[in-house]
Amino acid sequence: DGILMTMVMPRTNISKEITATVKSAYGQRIKVFDTQIPHSIRAVEATAEGKSIFAYDKGGKVAAAYEQFGKEVAELGEKQRKQNRADRIR
């Protein structure tokens, strides 16, 4: 239900520019999630092994980012549920 930026290299100017461009082009119409999934060789290795990042490198930065994304989505869902309840009460 939005845009998730993946393979982000936050220290590079190109990643910063792409993120800013996506937010300015789509941010008013489509949710751009705050969480960004970083680029990591460990994620590439996990894919090559046919494993999830949680099975391959549970303590790594990519797994932590996906965990944070899950929390962000859950919070968004909770806000929507509360709004739906409020709308039904009216």
Side-chain angles (χ1 to χ4, degrees):
D1 293 286
I3 298 171
L4 173 64
M5 302 297 292
T6 63
M7 298 191 67
V8 175
M9 292 184 267
R11 293 180 291 203
T12 64
N13 287 334
I14 191 70
S15 278
K16 292 174 187 174
E17 289 174 20
I18 291 170
T19 299
T21 299
V22 168
K23 286 181 179 182
S24 73
Y26 301 105
Q28 297 297 320
R29 295 175 286 144
I30 301 171
K31 168 129 180 91
V32 178
F33 290 101
D34 294 329
T35 303
Q36 295 182 348
I37 310 302
H39 180 270
S40 170
I41 296 302
R42 302 291 286 168
V44 174
E45 292 169 349
T47 301
E49 293 279 328
K51 296 181 180 179
S52 77
I53 193 63
F54 296 102
Y56 190 79
D57 188 25
K58 184 176 180 148
K61 64 183 180 180
V62 174
Y66 273 113
E67 188 173 328
Q68 179 60 39
F69 176 61
K71 290 176 184 177
E72 186 177 353
V73 170
E75 289 172 8
L76 181 62
E78 185 59 29
K79 286 179 186 175
Q80 288 175 344
R81 279 190 289 281
K82 286 180 181 179
Q83 182 62 45
N84 288 344
R85 279 189 220 132
D87 290 346
R88 283 188 299 223
I89 291 172
R90 291 184 205 164

